[in-house]
Amino acid sequence: MSGIPLAALVRAVPDFPKPGIVFRDVGPLLADAAAFEAAIAGMCAPWRRAAPEYVCGIESRGFIFGAAMARALGCGFAPIRKPGKLPGPVLVQGYSLEYGEDRLELQKDALPLGARVLLVDDVLATGGTLLAAAALLEQAGARLCGASVLIELSALGGRGRWATSAPLESVLRF
Ligand code: AMP
């Protein structure tokens, strides 16, 4: 690793966006060029041998890390977005939130059949978002190399919900 104290550049914001949530704000890390570079290097390191062809970043902070990783790994990038943002036709995957439901979408022609894909997001919390994104990639006929997050919130059990055989890698654990 770089020796840069990345964890110190993730700000914990209590009660945001709602009471009881400790929001992990990656703003200070992104604003520090050397830290951002080290974070991307740390996220990319486990995947060099897996040789993904595409990175799929999950809206919206997954776009920031995912696009930088795609450049570093020499991959194409495809966004996985919230409903209604992508011009169709799209594949849709629903998933449950603490209160209610949400959906993720991917353009049908974003990936060739059988493409080797790495999923990327900033934070793994309960794991519902990443699991829904993996299901979307299955619908697309992609081959999942694995998933990469900068931050894993260990107490929320997301790793336990990651019910695929593909590896899940994190750089920081809180
Ligand atoms: P989950 O589906 O519960 O694993 O939530 C992961 C998604 O919600 C990611 O896209 C994160 O950006 C966001 N998220 C969840 N919890 C937090 C948190 N405490 N701080 C920052 N982002 C979070």
Side-chain angles (χ1 to χ4, degrees):
M1 283 294 285
S2 63
I4 297 172
L6 296 179
L9 292 168
V10 177
R11 184 162 46 200
V13 185
D15 297 321
F16 181 86
K18 349 184 226 194
I21 306 278
V22 181
F23 186 80
R24 305 292 169 166
D25 178 13
V26 293
L29 185 153
L30 295 174
D32 181 321
F36 188 17
E37 188 178 345
I40 295 303
M43 290 177 81
C44 286
W47 307 106
R48 301 229 174 245
R49 289 182 63 185
E53 299 165 289
Y54 292 84
V55 169
C56 279
I58 304 173
E59 187 166 357
S60 57
R61 288 178 299 276
F63 295 171
I64 300 170
F65 293 100
M69 286 179 74
R71 292 305 309 273
L73 292 169
C75 296
F77 179 85
I80 290 179
R81 300 210 63 178
K82 304 277 168 64
K85 305 277 192 176
L86 291 167
V90 292
L91 301 169
V92 182
Q93 181 68 46
Y95 63 107
S96 303
L97 296 171
E98 195 178 354
Y99 300 104
E101 296 269 309
D102 211 343
R103 282 181 293 144
L104 291 175
E105 296 184 352
L106 173 70
Q107 279 174 314
K108 267 189 180 157
D109 61 359
L111 303 168
L113 215 59
R116 297 176 55 75
V117 178
L118 174 62
L119 260 177
V120 174
D121 206 353
D122 63 334
V123 172
L124 174 73
T126 65
T129 306
L130 212 55
L131 207 55
L136 198 52
L137 291 179
E138 197 178 331
Q139 279 193 55
R143 282 185 291 163
L144 185 63
C145 294
S148 170
V149 295
L150 178 67
I151 298 165
E152 176 174 353
L153 302 178
S154 307
L156 298 181
R159 185 171 287 277
R161 282 185 73 190
W162 178 245
T164 88
S165 57
L168 167 61
E169 300 280 355
S170 59
V171 174
L172 302 173
R173 284 162 285 277
F174 295 118

